[in-house]
Structure formats: C-alpha cells, structure tokens
Amino acid sequence: SFVFVMRDGINLLNGQTTSKEEVNAGLVQSWQDRHLDDWATESTPRGVIVEELIDPPPREGSEDSTPDELKCQTFFGELFFCEWVYVANMTTGEDGAEKF
C-alpha cells in the first residue's frame, strides 16, 4: 500500500518508525504503479493526496489506532450513501498474499 498514516514519525498502519525517505520511496514507487484494464489508473491523471490526520476516538485496549473512514457518495449533488469504516487491524498487501 502507498498509504502512510503518520504521527510523530510512526506509521500507525504497522506501528513502525517510518522516515521521510521511506515515505518518499513509497511515493516514487506509487507513481510507477499502473494496472492494466483499470480505468482509475489508466484514465486519470496521476497525483498525490495529502490529508490532515484527525485522531480517532480512544479505544479500549489500544493506545494508537487507525482513524475511522467516512466514505460518502453523492448523486446529482445529493447525499446518496455514507459508509463508516473502522479498521481494527490493517495489514500490508504482502501479509494478505501469504494468508491466501
């Protein structure tokens, strides 16, 4: 994944210290990542999204956790659907490949 959820130099997705150089290397790699027959990566301009981290609410048994995600879709300017996603234990793509 090319997503870095950072707080004080710690990547909250894996709990490891992540340097600016490692983030930069990930962004360079993401810039080269293309998927054939995928409209999103073939038809849209490349870019980087930087967002401010909004801390998640405190959760029992966890000092650091990933932020909640709110994904909302609109249809002709009207709110159509909203999804609230709480990720309890995110892993890397490599971890998933080993499990399956």
Side-chain angles (χ1 to χ4, degrees), residues 5-38:
V5 181
M6 304 298 296
R7 181 187 300 125
D8 300 325
I10 304 295
N11 186 342
L12 300 181
L13 298 180
N14 59 22
Q16 298 178 5
T17 300
T18 304
S19 69
K20 291 178 185 177
E21 291 77 18
E22 290 171 301
V23 172
N24 187 52
L27 292 174
V28 168
Q29 185 181 358
S30 74
W31 211 256
Q32 299 168 354
D33 189 39
R34 304 298 279 175
H35 300 274
L36 296 176
D37 300 324
D38 179 0

Side-chain angles (χ1 to χ4, degrees), residues 22-77:
E22 290 171 301
V23 172
N24 187 52
L27 292 174
V28 168
Q29 185 181 358
S30 74
W31 211 256
Q32 299 168 354
D33 189 39
R34 304 298 279 175
H35 300 274
L36 296 176
D37 300 324
D38 179 0
W39 177 86
T41 59
E42 293 296 319
S43 303
T44 57
R46 297 177 182 187
V48 174
I49 297 175
V50 177
E51 300 173 314
E52 179 182 359
L53 175 62
I54 299 174
D55 288 329
R59 294 196 168 90
E60 189 175 320
S62 176
E63 288 183 23
D64 290 324
S65 60
T66 57
D68 298 351
E69 293 181 27
L70 293 172
K71 300 177 183 181
C72 298
Q73 300 174 1
T74 60
F75 186 71
F76 290 108

Side-chain angles (χ1 to χ4, degrees), residues 71-84:
K71 300 177 183 181
C72 298
Q73 300 174 1
T74 60
F75 186 71
F76 290 108
E78 298 291 325
L79 180 62
F80 179 71
F81 179 79
C82 243
E83 175 184 21
W84 176 16

